[in-house]
Amino acid sequence: MDLGELAERERSILALERRGFSGPGAKERAVREELGLAPVRYYQLLNALLDDPRALACDPVTVNRLRRIRESRRAER
């Protein structure tokens, strides 16, 4: 894999985050069915992606939105 390119799973995680989900549990179900990941592992990978400059270059709108959400949650603690 080229250092400047995200892996397929990383791109899939960002694509899932761009989607809207209706109802409780819909996103977790999609994570399990489409990516084959446990939700906890999914959020670990997502959190690491938010700090990856390649993810920012690949999808700046989604990454910046999620970074803002993460920062506001940290500030609430």
Side-chain angles (χ1 to χ4, degrees), residues 6-14 35-37 41 45 49:
L6 291 176
E8 179 64 34
R9 180 164 73 172
E10 295 167 322
R11 286 194 305 272
S12 296
I13 289 170
L14 289 175
L35 301 178
L37 293 170
R41 182 65 181 140
L45 293 169
L49 259 180

Side-chain angles (χ1 to χ4, degrees), residues 21-77:
F21 292 93
S22 61
K27 183 176 184 179
E28 286 72 17
R29 225 175 4 263
V31 166
R32 288 183 190 280
E33 291 172 5
E34 296 172 28
L35 301 178
L37 293 170
V40 169
R41 182 65 181 140
Y42 171 81
Y43 287 111
Q44 290 171 338
L45 293 169
L46 175 62
N47 204 39
L49 259 180
L50 296 184
D51 297 322
D52 188 331
R54 297 170 307 146
L56 182 62
C58 177
D59 191 346
V61 173
T62 301
V63 171
N64 282 323
R65 176 178 58 82
L66 294 170
R67 283 179 175 178
R68 283 191 303 273
I69 292 168
R70 181 175 69 177
E71 289 308 311
S72 70
R73 287 185 180 150
R74 283 182 179 165
E76 289 173 6
R77 291 184 191 151

